[in-house]
């Protein structure tokens, strides 16, 4: 397997001996919820031996229904993310949907994320890459792992300072996703760190009557399997009260459940490192 080009985020590297945790509520709601999630997950990450990045979207432009909550928008949302970043002393990531958003987002974000539905949008990837911020490209539900090579090449060609790829499941019939574990070594062969989105992968797109459903009981089994393949990190959406979340509640983890899972993942990752599976 080719050498992984590690990505520098704040004061740590992704793609090395310490795995990455990207976690937070799906979309920004009240600032108190964001701060509570960041505070809790930062401590959990420290306990489990993960580097931590706080994630929340300032705008969810791909909601199922026109009436669905999208978030506070770019101006207010970036201000909230900046507050989380400063008060919690953690790096932050959020997604952009249009090229013009890249520059203002880069003033706050430590990583710019390309949403799965937009992973083939050349102008968006190029705009994110040109900011000088690392770019996390989520693999579309309709894209093979081999074809993500071209998304990586777009970002590299535009001068990206660091590239991550995130798997979030592949469309399997109507309103269902499946995770192909071959995806991880395939995409890692491009020389970039690969992250597993454990919560979006159990989403049931549009499966709740004008909203997406989810099967959070499968988050743990899939996350454990992904870590065992040698991925570089885990992405998960968490919420203090998922039943009340304004977006992706059915596939978000309660905070304490996320903590228990991370401690199990820690043990699996230690076995991976001990047996040098990441470089195999």
């Amino acid at each position: 397997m080719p050498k992984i080009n590690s990505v520098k985020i704040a004061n740590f590297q992704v793609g090395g001996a310490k795995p990455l945790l990207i976690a937070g509520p799906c979309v920004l709601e009240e600032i108190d919820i964001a701060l509570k999630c960041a505070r809790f997950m930062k401590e959990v990450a420290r306990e489990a031996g993960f580097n931590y990045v706080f994630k929340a979207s300032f705008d969810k432009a791909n909601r199922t229904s026109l009436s669905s909550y999208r978030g506070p928008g770019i101006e207010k949302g970036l201000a909230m993310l900046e507050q989380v970043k400063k008060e919690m002393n953690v790096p932050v990531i959020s997604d952009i949907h249009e090229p013009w958003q890249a520059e203002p987002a880069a003033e706050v974000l430590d990583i710019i994320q390309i949403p799965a539905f937009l992973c083939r949008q050349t102008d968006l990837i190029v705009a994110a890459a040109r900011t000088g911020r690392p770019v996390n490209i989520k693999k579309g539900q309709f894209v093979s792992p081999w074809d993500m090579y071209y998304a990586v090449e777009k970002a590299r060609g535009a001068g990206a300072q660091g590239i991550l790829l995130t798997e979030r499941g592949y469309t399997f019939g109507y309103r269902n996703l499946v995770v192909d574990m071959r995806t991880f070594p395939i995409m890692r062969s491009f020389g970039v760190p690969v992250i597993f989105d454990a919560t979006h992968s159990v989403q049931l797109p549009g499966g709740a009557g004008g909203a997406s459903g989810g099967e959070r009981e499968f988050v743990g089994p899939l996350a454990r399997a992904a870590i065992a393949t040698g991925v570089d990190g885990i992405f998960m959406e968490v919420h203090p009260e998922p039943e009340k979340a304004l977006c992706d509640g059915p596939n978000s983890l309660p905070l304490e459940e996320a903590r228990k899972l991370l401690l199990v993942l820690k043990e699996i990752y230690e076995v991976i490192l001990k047996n040098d599976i990441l470089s195999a």
Side-chain angles (χ1 to χ4, degrees), residues 17-30:
K18 198 170 184 180
L20 175 67
L21 171 64
I22 300 175
C26 173
V27 64
L28 287 165
E29 299 177 16
E30 298 297 327

Side-chain angles (χ1 to χ4, degrees), residues 124-136:
L124 189 65
I125 293 174
V126 168
R130 286 178 175 169
T131 66
R133 292 295 189 187
V135 181
N136 179 36

Side-chain angles (χ1 to χ4, degrees), residues 33 37 48 66 70-72 74 88 111 125 134 139 147 171 177 181 187 190 221 226 240 249 252 262 270:
I33 292 175
C37 289
L66 181 63
R70 289 181 53 164
I74 187 168
M88 295 294 106
I111 310 172
I125 293 174
K139 183 176 81 61
D147 289 339
T171 298
L177 300 171
M181 292 292 160
M187 296 202 302
F190 307 152
S252 295
L262 261 293
E270 287 172 350

Side-chain angles (χ1 to χ4, degrees), residues 158-204:
Q161 296 302 302
I163 304 166
L164 309 170
L165 289 179
T166 294
E167 163 67 17
R168 57 142 304 161
Y170 188 83
T171 298
F172 187 69
Y174 294 125
R175 296 176 172 176
N176 194 27
L177 300 171
V178 66
V179 179
D180 181 353
M181 292 292 160
R182 297 176 301 173
T183 295
F184 304 119
I186 290 169
M187 296 202 302
R188 215 166 176 269
S189 74
F190 307 152
V192 298
V194 173
I195 311 300
F196 176 51
D197 183 341
T199 50
H200 277 113
S201 291
V202 302
Q203 190 182 65
L204 301 175

Side-chain angles (χ1 to χ4, degrees), residues 198-263:
T199 50
H200 277 113
S201 291
V202 302
Q203 190 182 65
L204 301 175
S212 291
E215 299 174 314
R216 75 167 64 97
E217 66 268 27
F218 297 121
V219 171
L222 289 176
R224 295 194 296 270
I227 286 289
T229 69
V231 296
D232 300 280
I234 292 290
F235 179 117
M236 62 174 67
E237 292 182 325
V238 300
H239 197 280
E241 297 180 273
E243 293 73 19
K244 296 181 180 179
L246 299 180
C247 179
D248 277 359
N251 52 268
S252 295
L253 288 182
L255 297 179
E256 187 55 38
E257 191 172 328
R259 175 182 177 274
K260 292 176 182 177
L261 175 58
L262 261 293
L263 293 176

